Amino acid sequence: MSSTQSATRRILHNPNTVVSACHAKQLHAQIVKARATPHSHSLAWVCIIKCYTAYGLLRHSLATFNLMRASGVSPDRHVFPSLLKASTLLKHFPLAQSLHASAIRLGFHFDLYTANALMNVYSKFHPHLSANHVLDQFPRTHHYHNNYNNRNNANNNFTVKIDSVRKVFDRMPVRDVVSWNTVIAGNAQNGMYEEALDLVREMGRQTMRPDSFTLSSVLPIFAEHVDVVKGKEIHGYAVRHGFDKDVFIGSSLIDMYAKCTHVELSVRAFYLLSNRDAISWNSIIAGCVQNGRFDQGLGFFRLMLKKKVKPMQVSFSSVVPACAHLTALNLGKQLHGYIIRLGFDGNKFIASSLVDMYAKCGNIKMARYIFDRIEIRDRDMVSWTAIIMGCAMHGHALDAVSLFEMMLLDGVKPCYVSFIGVLTACNHSGLVDEGWRYFNSMQSDFGIAPGLEHYAAVADLLGRAGRLEEAYDFISNMAVEPTGSVWSALLAACRAHKNIELAEKVVDKILLVDPENMGAYVMMSNIYSAAQRWRDAAKLRVHVRKKGLKKTPGCSWIEVGNKVHTFLAGDESHPYYDKINEALKILLEQMEKEGYVLDTKEVLHDVDEEHKRDLLRTHSERLAIAFGIISTTAGTTIRVIKNIRVCVDCHTAIKFMAKIVGREIIVRDNSRFHHFRNGSCSCGDYW
């Protein structure tokens, strides 16, 4: 025997020495060339097949199996796990079925590793009903939970899938932890939580100790059911058995606590991990963002980068929305650049997050640019909804309606939020007939029951159009109990149309369902003040003080140089206040030359005219805009966020400011975005 043949035989008896696809091919070549082994010996064939599968050469693996059978060599029990894995990775279910049938004919279906591989196959596929035809050929050696297969939804594809896994499991004469974990995970991943938990209990009764994979499979169940008590029990078990430092368990615990709104416990579980991978980092970032802790989520993202952990694509789907909620455009742009450098910009989920972020941060042009670059086949309901809502909030009503119709033509079914977007667009542009049509189509055409947001949008749509009584009747006859927010939409319309009598009726409705609604008191007081009914306004303010309620102060903020600057009305605390005040005085002089006149009717206080003028000049958005003008280079777009509605006089003043300084000024109030340019606003003075 030559030295080459001897070496080949040694390798065949110790296949772990084959460490690469190249080595596997060389071994295969030597077997074919030197015939180191008799054709009747299956060990060589098995070794080659396993190596091909391990290194992703799946078609080579299957072709070698065919060659093996053609050579008259009978496969042994070691070959089927690799072949089944290859069929799973190739997503070729008929091939997996054929292999399953072959294993049954050869009597290898009782083999522990083959059965585990079969369960993995059926847990990964959405099989056709014919899967059960093959499975029913098993002899019934074991059968737990006799009623398992008698569920009413047995014809459901997911149920067929899990039934297939369970049939393999029930017929296994010997099971290991992998067997139990596969069937438990299959049930958990398909929402069959009770079955999964029953199997965990059964596993314990069979003296089989759950491992870290078992626990990480069942923890999402408690996350889904927001059952932190049972989640803590699993956590305690993990601690007692030393699993709590496991990165998979840790990530599952972080996710479970976050979904149960216990973010502080998520953070604690995260810091207890000795080794943190990208999944655990992403879990804590997502947990913070989903619970409204946007700054904390961004902080963890920065720390992850500092620790040299490369972000996953899903990491950006979690952190980009934080920038959207914080309206941190500069940071969002930096993340966008990083996404492009990593080559993740083609990911449709990240693209949808970017569309939403740019829209919420005031750059609707960039939002539309990114949306238009998403492949048509990749535009799902999330991306369509993001751009529709973005256009609606920026006053591009016709674009929003057109996009909604395009979505329908592309066969994408609108969701609850999609209708909020299109109704908001109609609302902001006075498209009453179109709004009614979309509202009525929700239930009749798409089976979506209107929610409070939809009712509020229609009520506001009717109110803005001056159809106040119609709006009142619409709210009174809602299918669900109207909340204070729905009535408040009509109250705002009563103020705009100076209908005091109806406003008083609406306020009574609001306070009936929400006695602490400070906004209703403030708006009614303003309605009285605008009508110069000072006594009624004063009486209402006294009532509010007795109840201990406080008005939310008007607040505006602007991002300059990666720092957010906040301003309150009349606020003199900013370090640049003197320069801001001087800039406002110069601007006011230029504005008055252009024809601007302060509208003191908007100052709803019983004070002298000069005091009213001073109050108007120092509204928070004016301070923020003036700071933006003196702090940025000429031509830079100024973006300001305000927590309450922009008043009529400030709206007029900002149109003059934008024209004088030759810049676009974007102001987002609690209703929408206003784009001021060349003396006009995108809302067309309808807001």
Side-chain angles (χ1 to χ4, degrees):
M1 183 184 294
S2 69
S3 58
T4 301
Q5 290 175 322
S6 298
T8 302
R9 281 188 175 276
R10 286 196 300 272
I11 293 171
L12 289 174
H13 285 91
N14 189 16
N16 291 334
T17 58
V18 180
V19 296
S20 70
C22 181
H23 288 169
K25 287 180 178 179
Q26 290 174 0
L27 175 62
H28 192 184
Q30 288 299 326
I31 292 170
V32 173
K33 180 180 176 181
R35 300 185 179 273
T37 181
H39 271 284
S40 60
H41 201 303
S42 65
L43 180 60
W45 293 100
V46 172
C47 180
I48 294 298
I49 290 168
K50 289 173 68 174
C51 288
Y52 276 144
T53 301
Y55 289 96
L57 299 169
L58 309 176
R59 298 187 185 280
H60 287 71
S61 176
L62 295 164
T64 303
F65 177 68
N66 288 335
L67 184 60
M68 173 186 178
R69 298 301 303 274
S71 300
V73 178
S74 180
D76 65 14
R77 65 186 181 87
H78 299 290
V79 77
F80 283 100
S82 291
L83 294 170
L84 288 164
K85 180 180 179 181
S87 68
T88 305
L89 293 172
L90 286 170
K91 297 182 173 60
H92 198 308
F93 184 67
L95 175 61
Q97 286 182 298
S98 177
L99 289 167
H100 189 174
S102 180
I104 292 172
R105 286 195 299 272
L106 293 167
F108 296 142
H109 53 294
F110 286 128
D111 174 67
L112 174 64
Y113 301 107
T114 300
N116 284 344
L118 284 168
M119 284 198 294
N120 184 60
V121 166
Y122 289 118
S123 69
K124 296 288 175 62
F125 281 108
H126 295 255
H128 306 291
L129 290 174
S130 56
N132 281 334
H133 176 72
V134 178
L135 288 158
D136 285 337
Q137 296 180 46
F138 275 118
R140 296 180 178 273
T141 56
H142 288 272
H143 191 74
Y144 296 105
H145 305 287
N146 291 327
N147 294 326
Y148 184 87
N149 291 317
N150 295 326
R151 290 187 302 272
N152 291 330
N153 62 345
N155 289 327
N156 179 275
N157 278 344
F158 280 118
T159 306
V160 172
K161 172 179 170 179
I162 297 304
D163 282 348
S164 303
V165 176
R166 186 58 189 264
K167 283 186 177 182
V168 176
F169 179 80
D170 284 345
R171 290 156 175 76
M172 291 176 68
V174 179
R175 306 184 184 102
D176 62 1
V177 173
V178 174
S179 316
W180 286 95
N181 284 345
T182 303
V183 72
I184 289 168
N187 280 278
Q189 289 164 6
N190 288 282
M192 302 173 71
Y193 301 132
E194 288 302 322
E195 287 88 346
L197 293 174
D198 285 344
L199 283 162
V200 173
R201 298 185 188 101
E202 181 69 29
M203 182 181 184
R205 288 193 290 270
Q206 298 291 327
T207 66
M208 189 69 67
R209 178 179 167 183
D211 63 5
S212 60
F213 188 89
T214 319
L215 302 186
S216 62
S217 294
V218 297
L219 277 169
I221 298 175
F222 307 125
E224 184 72 22
H225 285 273
V226 195
D227 192 340
V228 73
V229 174
K230 288 184 179 177
K232 284 181 176 180
E233 291 178 10
I234 296 294
H235 192 178
Y237 181 92
V239 171
R240 290 192 299 274
H241 292 85
F243 294 147
D244 56 319
K245 301 296 191 297
D246 180 274
V247 70
F248 297 107
I249 291 292
S251 297
S252 297
L253 286 169
I254 292 165
D255 184 62
M256 183 273 294
Y257 283 127
K259 286 182 177 172
C260 293
T261 69
H262 289 265
V263 188
E264 66 285 351
L265 295 178
S266 290
V267 173
R268 193 181 303 174
F270 175 78
Y271 281 122
L272 285 173
L273 289 175
S274 51
N275 296 310
R276 303 175 191 124
D277 62 0
I279 295 174
S280 53
W281 280 101
N282 184 69
S283 296
I284 192 61
I285 292 166
C288 290
V289 173
Q290 289 161 8
N291 283 276
R293 300 192 179 192
F294 307 117
D295 284 317
Q296 192 173 13
L298 287 168
F300 276 116
F301 184 79
R302 292 188 185 99
L303 187 59
M304 177 177 72
L305 298 182
K306 190 176 180 181
K307 297 289 186 181
K308 308 296 184 186
V309 178
K310 184 179 178 181
M312 304 164 62
Q313 296 195 39
V314 72
S315 304
F316 290 101
S317 297
S318 298
V319 77
V320 170
C323 298
H325 285 284
L326 295 172
T327 60
L329 181 61
N330 289 336
L331 181 57
K333 286 180 177 178
Q334 292 172 20
L335 286 172
H336 190 185
Y338 192 20
I339 287 165
I340 293 171
R341 289 195 298 276
L342 291 174
F344 293 164
D345 50 322
N347 181 293
K348 68 177 182 180
F349 303 108
I350 294 177
S352 296
S353 296
L354 288 169
V355 170
D356 185 61
M357 183 274 293
Y358 277 114
K360 287 179 177 175
C361 290
N363 195 337
I364 189 62
K365 288 182 180 178
M366 192 63 182
R368 184 60 189 266
Y369 172 76
I370 294 170
F371 175 80
D372 288 342
R373 292 191 64 192
I374 300 174
E375 294 285 342
I376 293 177
R377 65 175 181 274
D378 289 335
R379 292 177 185 171
D380 58 6
M381 178 264 295
V382 176
S383 55
W384 279 106
T385 300
I387 193 61
I388 290 167
M389 183 64 83
C391 287
M393 293 302 297
H394 284 268
H396 299 184
L398 296 180
D399 284 346
V401 171
S402 175
L403 285 162
F404 188 86
E405 293 295 336
M406 288 169 60
M407 177 179 70
L408 298 182
L409 287 173
D410 278 359
V412 178
K413 183 181 177 181
C415 66
Y416 185 97
V417 182
S418 308
F419 277 103
I420 295 176
V422 75
L423 288 172
T424 299
C426 295
N427 181 15
H428 286 170
S429 297
L431 303 175
V432 179
D433 293 338
E434 291 83 352
W436 266 122
R437 179 166 59 84
Y438 287 124
F439 179 80
N440 291 326
S441 73
M442 288 181 63
Q443 185 78 60
S444 61
D445 296 342
F446 301 100
I448 300 173
L452 292 171
E453 299 93 338
H454 306 106
Y455 282 110
V458 173
D460 200 20
L461 172 65
L462 295 170
R464 288 173 190 268
R467 295 157 66 166
L468 302 179
E469 293 295 338
E470 188 177 349
Y472 185 87
D473 292 339
F474 172 75
I475 298 173
S476 300
N477 294 300
M478 280 172 51
V480 295
E481 188 68 27
T483 61
S485 62
V486 178
W487 284 113
S488 293
L490 178 55
L491 184 59
C494 291
R495 178 190 175 187
H497 293 281
K498 300 179 174 58
N499 190 326
I500 300 175
E501 183 181 351
L502 184 59
E504 290 174 332
K505 288 173 62 178
V506 172
V507 165
D508 289 341
K509 293 284 189 180
I510 294 173
L511 299 180
L512 189 65
V513 296
D514 186 5
E516 307 296 306
N517 191 316
M518 184 64 194
Y521 286 113
V522 171
M523 198 174 297
M524 195 66 231
S525 175
N526 291 344
I527 291 170
Y528 284 139
S529 298
Q532 296 187 342
R533 289 173 55 172
W534 305 113
R535 184 175 296 178
D536 290 327
K539 189 188 300 183
L540 202 57
R541 285 196 290 270
V542 169
H543 179 69
V544 168
R545 280 197 294 271
K546 285 182 178 178
K547 289 180 69 71
L549 301 176
K550 292 186 178 180
K551 177 184 176 182
T552 302
C555 176
S556 298
W557 55 97
I558 182 171
E559 185 182 11
V560 176
N562 288 332
K563 183 179 179 182
V564 176
H565 299 259
T566 306
F567 298 88
L568 296 172
D571 189 359
E572 300 182 8
S573 63
H574 195 278
Y576 288 96
Y577 177 75
D578 290 339
K579 292 182 179 179
I580 293 169
N581 193 38
E582 183 64 28
L584 283 173
K585 285 181 179 178
I586 295 171
L587 266 176
L588 183 58
E589 291 175 4
Q590 294 174 302
M591 289 158 60
E592 288 176 339
K593 288 179 182 178
E594 293 282 339
Y596 168 68
V597 178
L598 280 161
D599 184 3
T600 55
K601 294 193 301 294
E602 283 295 303
V603 180
L604 304 174
H605 299 283
D606 192 10
V607 295
D608 61 63
E609 283 296 307
E610 187 56 36
H611 191 186
K612 288 182 178 182
R613 289 169 64 88
D614 289 338
L615 289 171
L616 280 174
R617 282 195 295 258
T618 57
H619 275 190
S620 63
E621 59 267 49
R622 299 197 196 198
L623 297 174
I625 290 168
F627 175 70
I629 291 171
I630 65 175
S631 304
T632 58
T633 57
T636 304
T637 299
I638 295 171
R639 292 179 171 86
V640 171
I641 310 296
K642 187 172 183 180
N643 65 332
I644 60 176
R645 189 176 184 268
V646 174
C647 77
V648 173
D649 184 70
C650 282
H651 191 268
T652 302
I654 299 169
K655 287 193 281 188
F656 280 94
M657 290 179 178
K659 183 179 179 180
I660 289 167
V661 300
R663 303 206 203 184
E664 181 179 13
I665 300 174
I666 301 173
V667 178
R668 177 184 177 180
D669 64 10
N670 65 348
S671 175
R672 64 178 294 159
F673 280 93
H674 299 264
H675 292 251
F676 299 92
R677 190 188 298 110
N678 298 325
S680 63
C681 178
S682 60
C683 73
D685 297 336
Y686 188 90
W687 85 98

